[in-house]
Amino acid sequence: DGGITQSPKYLFRKEGQNVTLSCEQNLNHDAMYWYRQDPGQGLRLIYYSQIVNDFQKGDIAEGYSVSREKKESFPLTVTSAQKNPTAFYLCASLGQSNTGELFFGEGSRLTVL
Amino acid sequence: AQSVTQLGSHVSVSEGALVLLRCNYSSSVPPYLFWYVQYPNQGLQLLLKYTSAATLVKGINGFEAEFKKSETSFHLTKPSAHMSDAAEYFCVTLSGGSYIPTFGRGTSLIVHP
């Protein structure tokens, strides 16, 4: 079945460490997104990519980095520069037409110890 | 810039009662509109979408929404709430030609026995 796979589901990190969250899709979608979700704050856009080898900062990009070397993959690195990284992270892709819906992964919960 | 307003961060209903979750958008051109549902520690799933084909849109799990241009609204309803409907609901817009969805802050639906 087609879909988006995020891993790991749960991740613990010590302060000062970088961590990378994986996002893979087999939907052949061009546009992909990373969102951060905190209780009571909805979804906030971190980065997005409309095409391979190109990506743009969203509203809260500081302390994060991404790459888009393959259409299927859009990994997110949470760097040590991110002051408050504990959150739920969601990856999504957009249907082929921009009238289409977003498809979401199951999310990754990062906890900094 | 587009915006989406969801009135009420929490809505509480009794099982069997009508569910009404409110969403208003601001856009000079009628956008594409979506409702998503999120269960705890999961990604978002599409409930329904409006893409100008019909103003009354039926979705999954007995939900429906009506697009009202005069009121710039897209409220979500369900005639009879079920315990399994307890979740977070997001109203989302996407303007034609844009690749950046705009999310509402979300409404948490609480269903009492």
Side-chain angles (χ1 to χ4, degrees), chain B residues 47-49 54-60 62-65:
Chain B
L47 269 180
L48 49 81
K49 64 180 178 182
T55 57
L56 183 62
V57 182
K58 294 187 183 299
I60 63 171
F63 284 93
E64 63 181 35

Side-chain angles (χ1 to χ4, degrees), chain A residues 9-10 31 33 35 37 40-43 45 48 50 88 90 94 98-102 104-106 109, chain B residues 32 34 36 38 41-44 46 49 51 88 90 92 94-101 103-105:
Chain A
K9 177 88 172 165
Y10 298 94
Y33 309 80
Y35 292 94
Q37 187 175 26
Q41 295 197 42
L43 274 68
L45 182 63
Y48 65 99
Q50 295 182 21
F88 190 55
L90 287 162
L94 186 66
N98 69 353
T99 63
E101 71 218 53
L102 287 167
F104 284 86
E106 288 295 298
R109 184 166 296 281
Chain B
Y32 303 108
F34 308 84
Y36 288 85
Q38 183 184 31
N41 293 312
Q42 294 186 24
L44 280 68
L46 181 70
K49 64 180 178 182
T51 56
E88 190 84 13
F90 292 93
V92 182
L94 183 67
S95 286
S98 168
Y99 283 88
I100 309 299
F103 284 79
R105 292 290 292 267

Side-chain angles (χ1 to χ4, degrees), chain A residues 98-99, chain B residues 2-4 23-34 49-54 57 67-69 72-74 91-98 100-102:
Chain A
N98 69 353
T99 63
Chain B
Q2 288 185 81
S3 68
V4 176
C23 173
N24 289 88
Y25 67 91
S26 69
S27 174
S28 58
V29 177
Y32 303 108
L33 291 157
F34 308 84
K49 64 180 178 182
Y50 167 76
T51 56
S52 77
V57 182
F67 174 74
K68 292 187 176 180
K69 183 178 177 180
T72 61
S73 69
F74 190 57
C91 183
V92 182
T93 72
L94 183 67
S95 286
S98 168
I100 309 299
T102 300

Side-chain angles (χ1 to χ4, degrees), chain A residues 30-34 45-59 61 64-70 73-77, chain B residues 99-100:
Chain A
D30 288 315
M32 296 186 72
Y33 309 80
W34 274 106
L45 182 63
I46 305 172
Y47 269 97
Y48 65 99
S49 168
Q50 295 182 21
I51 198 167
V52 174
N53 292 322
D54 186 54
F55 48 83
Q56 308 295 329
K57 292 182 179 180
D59 301 317
Y64 300 97
S65 66
V66 294
S67 63
R68 188 84 187 276
E69 298 176 0
K70 299 185 300 180
S73 179
F74 191 41
L76 173 74
T77 297
Chain B
Y99 283 88
I100 309 299

